[in-house]
Amino acid sequence: MSPGFDLIKDRASMLAKTRAFFAERSVLEVDVATLIPYPQLDAYIEPIKADSGYLHTSPEYEMKKLLAAVPCDIYQLTHVFRKEEIGRVHLAEFTMIEWYRMQKTLIELSEETLALIQLFLGEKKIERCTFSSLWDAFVPPDAKGPKELLFDDYIASNLSPEKLYVVEDFPTESAALAKIENGVAKRFEIYLGGLELANGFWELSCPVEIKKRFETQNALREKEGKGPFPIDEAFVNASANLPDCVGVSVGFDRLMMQKRKEDQVKNVFLSSITGS
Amino acid sequence: MSQLTTNAIRPGMKVELENEPYLVVNNEFVKPGKGQAFNRIKVKNFLTGRVLEKTFKSGEKLELADIEEVRMRLLYTDQDGGVFMHDETFDQLHISFTTIKESAKWMKEDISYEVILYKGNAIDIMPPTFMELQVTETAPGVRGDTASGRVLKPAVLETGAKIQVPIFIEEEEHIKVDTRTAEYVSRV
C-alpha cells in the first residue's frame, strides 16, 4: 500500500469518527459560509482577502449568527485560512473542528473536547491547571520579553509531551470573545506538551462589550501598523440574541500529526501527497 | 538592497544582520495560543562561523546579504594565499590564507572552487564535495592491525590535508576524499 493511500485512508477514517462523535451526542453538522463580507477582528490573526470579502479564519462569527437565530448544538468541520501562518505546526490553510453547546458548562465542554482528542491520540494522562499557576511555576519573576515568547521558552518547553494539559482562566487581555469573571477570561486551552490543540470559550453575548473588544483589537492593529478593520455590525447586533453557550475549536491536522507521529503538520495535509 | 519578511525566510538564504552576512540555518514560526507571532531564526555568521538564534516579530523585514557565489579555478598558490581565475571572464583574484582558513587544506591547482563574495570581496572558498588526491605520506600497513580492529591509519595528502585511510593504502596512491567530513571514500 502506498504511503499516500495510507494517509487518505487515515484522514477519511478520522473525519468519519469525528462526525460519528457528534452524531452520538446529537450535535448537528452545519456548513456556514467560508467567504465572509467582513474580516474577523483580531490584532494577531490576519485573514486572506478574497475578491468579494475574506476567507474565514474560523467559522465563529457565522456560526454565532446562526445560533442567535436558531439556538441548537452545532459543529462545523472546515478548512480555515490565516495569512502567513506557516511553520512546523502552522499552515496558512488548515482543518478546524468547531462546535457550540447550549446546556453545558465550560468544564463539561473541556471534558467533551478531551474525549474527542483521545479518539485520535488514545488515552492520555490529564492535568488541569490555571494560566497563572503555570506562569508562577515556570516563568522566573525577573524574565523579560513579550509574554508569547516567555510562554514558549519557559512553559511550553516544560510540559510533558505525554500529557494533556487543560489550561483555564486566562489573563483578560487575551480574552478574545470570552466572558470575564473574577478578573479572568473564562476560556481554556488544551495542550499536548507544548503543542496547542484546542481553544474553548464561555461565549460573550453582550453587544456593547463585544464592540468594545473589537475597538481594542483595532487600536492594537493600528499600533502594529496594520490598519483597522471595519466592524461586522450584523454580528455585533446578533450577539444580543446569542443563547448562553460555550464553544471550542480544535486543530484537526495537529491531531493527525500527533496520531501519525509526524514532525511537520504539512505532512498530514493531502497536498503532501501531490506535492502541490 | 532587497528585503524579505520573516515568513519568506528559508534555510539556505543569506541575510544581513548588524552589518554582517549570515546564512539562515533554520526558521521556526512561534505562535502560542492567542497572541503575537514570532520567528526564531537560527543563523550562522559567514565571517566567524558563529551560530546564533535571533527572534523577530512575524512580518518584520530582513535585509538580504550581498553574497554571491562564483566558480573560479585555482591557478597557483603563493606564500600568502591563492590566485583564482574565472573560467569565462578570465578575471583573476588573489585570496589570502587568512580568508580561506580551513579550506586551505583542499587547495590544488587547476581545480574549480566556489568563491563566496560579500559586497564584492572574497570571504571564503568551498572545495568540490569530492576530490581525487594523491597520498604523499603514510606508514606502510602492518598485517595484524586488522585483527585488533585497527583498520585505519593516518595519512597526509598532496594538499596537506591530514586524514584517516584504510591500512592497505600506500604512499603515492590516488584516493577519493569527501571534503565535507575529510573522510576517505575509495581508491581511484
Side-chain angles (χ1 to χ4, degrees):
Chain A
M1 186 174 56
S2 81
F5 184 65
D6 184 60
L7 175 59
I8 293 175
K9 229 177 67 175
D10 206 7
R11 275 187 81 99
S13 149
M14 293 321 294
L15 287 168
K17 280 186 186 164
T18 302
R19 291 195 159 97
F21 178 89
F22 290 113
E24 279 162 25
R25 291 163 174 78
S26 305
V27 182
L28 298 174
E29 178 163 10
V30 294
D31 52 343
V32 297
T34 54
L35 177 62
I36 55 177
Y38 289 93
Q40 278 149 290
L41 233 168
D42 191 304
Y44 302 118
I45 299 176
E46 282 307 296
I48 295 174
K49 179 104 179 74
D51 224 13
S52 53
Y54 295 84
L55 297 176
H56 68 172
T57 59
S58 86
E60 179 179 3
Y61 292 8
E62 296 307 307
M63 286 181 87
K64 283 182 173 174
K65 283 180 189 168
L66 199 61
L67 285 176
V70 186
C72 59
D73 292 327
I74 54 174
Y75 79 95
Q76 177 142 345
L77 191 43
T78 183
H79 283 200
V80 298
F81 305 86
R82 295 177 178 193
K83 195 173 168 181
E84 297 196 328
E85 292 201 5
I86 298 161
R88 193 177 68 79
V89 295
H90 289 84
L91 292 169
E93 175 178 358
F94 63 98
T95 317
M96 185 179 269
I97 314 166
E98 179 152 325
W99 73 100
Y100 292 88
R101 296 292 246 151
M102 302 303 107
Q103 304 296 330
K104 285 200 183 288
T105 63
L106 202 54
I107 291 191
E108 288 166 338
L109 181 70
S110 68
E111 294 289 347
E112 191 166 81
T113 309
L114 287 167
L116 177 79
I117 289 173
Q118 289 175 102
L119 272 187
F120 292 74
L121 307 183
E123 207 173 309
K124 294 270 172 199
K125 278 199 184 128
I126 291 158
E127 189 172 322
R128 280 183 183 272
C129 45
T130 63
F131 183 88
S132 64
S133 71
L134 279 182
W135 195 269
D136 295 345
F138 294 118
V139 183
D142 57 347
K144 287 192 180 65
K147 68 173 196 316
E148 294 85 352
L149 289 178
L150 296 181
F151 188 90
D152 193 56
D153 277 340
Y154 295 104
I155 300 177
S157 56
N158 271 310
L159 301 180
S160 158
E162 294 305 316
K163 243 192 214 176
L164 288 167
Y165 295 84
V166 185
V167 186
E168 297 163 306
D169 294 349
F170 279 71
T172 54
E173 71 263 23
S174 45
L177 295 183
K179 282 192 180 173
I180 290 176
E181 207 181 58
N182 302 325
V184 290
K186 301 309 284 181
R187 42 175 292 238
F188 67 83
E189 286 179 6
I190 298 177
Y191 283 83
L192 176 70
L195 181 70
E196 181 196 350
L197 295 175
N199 225 306
F201 297 82
W202 184 14
E203 302 295 350
L204 184 63
S205 57
C206 168
V208 178
E209 177 66 17
I210 288 176
K211 192 142 184 195
K212 222 170 78 189
R213 301 240 183 126
F214 282 167
E215 281 159 1
T216 309
Q217 290 300 310
N218 259 339
L220 262 172
R221 292 186 62 84
E222 292 208 69
K223 215 177 96 189
E224 299 276 334
K226 293 183 195 163
F229 274 149
I231 288 176
D232 184 351
E233 297 288 349
F235 170 73
V236 175
N237 295 333
S239 304
N241 298 319
L242 190 69
D244 189 12
C245 65
V246 288
V248 64
S249 61
V250 175
F252 178 85
D253 306 302
R254 286 194 183 169
L255 291 177
M256 290 302 296
M257 172 187 157
Q258 289 302 319
K259 177 177 186 291
R260 297 175 64 79
K261 303 193 178 1
E262 289 282 358
D263 178 52
Q264 304 253 346
V265 69
K266 67 174 186 205
N267 293 347
V268 302
F269 219 64
L270 293 184
S271 50
S272 67
I273 298 172
T274 54
S276 47
Chain B
M1 182 55 65
S2 50
Q3 291 186 320
L4 278 181
T5 64
T6 51
N7 298 307
I9 299 289
R10 303 267 176 274
M13 286 181 173
K14 293 116 187 168
V15 295
E16 174 105 2
L17 300 170
E18 288 151 12
N19 298 318
E20 291 202 333
Y22 287 86
L23 176 72
V24 177
V25 180
N26 191 21
N27 180 6
E28 177 121 17
F29 180 75
V30 181
K31 193 173 193 257
K34 295 257 168 200
Q36 304 185 66
F38 294 88
N39 288 74
R40 290 184 193 276
I41 301 183
K42 198 187 261 185
V43 288
K44 183 177 174 187
N45 191 310
F46 269 104
L47 306 174
T48 64
R50 203 158 48 96
V51 175
L52 55 114
E53 193 179 78
K54 294 242 176 197
T55 303
F56 298 88
K57 249 188 189 178
S58 199
E60 251 185 273
K61 288 199 164 86
L62 266 73
E63 196 122 314
L64 289 180
D66 178 8
I67 292 266
E68 208 189 337
E69 284 163 25
V70 287
R71 185 156 279 280
M72 294 181 96
R73 188 175 298 277
L74 178 65
L75 293 180
Y76 59 89
T77 51
D78 58 24
Q79 59 196 50
D80 312 316
V83 174
F84 293 80
M85 186 182 72
H86 195 286
D87 275 346
E88 280 151 33
T89 64
F90 304 117
D91 283 345
Q92 288 189 15
L93 191 64
H94 183 272
I95 307 174
S96 71
F97 286 130
T98 44
T99 300
I100 294 170
K101 290 186 286 266
E102 287 292 291
S103 299
K105 65 173 183 248
W106 303 117
M107 280 170 72
K108 187 184 173 185
E109 284 173 19
D110 211 33
I111 296 287
S112 279
Y113 296 80
E114 289 290 342
V115 174
I116 301 176
L117 301 172
Y118 172 53
K119 294 181 177 166
N121 297 314
I123 55 167
D124 203 358
I125 67 162
M126 303 280 285
T129 307
F130 297 105
M131 288 181 82
E132 292 179 6
L133 298 169
Q134 193 177 27
V135 178
T136 50
E137 241 184 274
T138 191
V142 179
R143 223 177 255 282
D145 276 3
T146 325
S148 64
R150 275 197 48 188
V151 291
L152 293 174
K153 60 177 183 178
V156 181
L157 308 180
E158 59 178 309
T159 55
K162 294 183 175 107
I163 72 163
Q164 295 286 316
V165 297
I167 50 166
F168 55 79
I169 296 292
E170 304 292 347
E171 274 182 17
E172 294 186 19
E173 272 194 78
H174 285 82
I175 59 166
K176 187 173 169 186
V177 186
D178 186 331
T179 60
R180 295 167 299 187
T181 54
E183 275 170 10
Y184 168 90
V185 178
S186 64
R187 259 182 178 145
V188 180

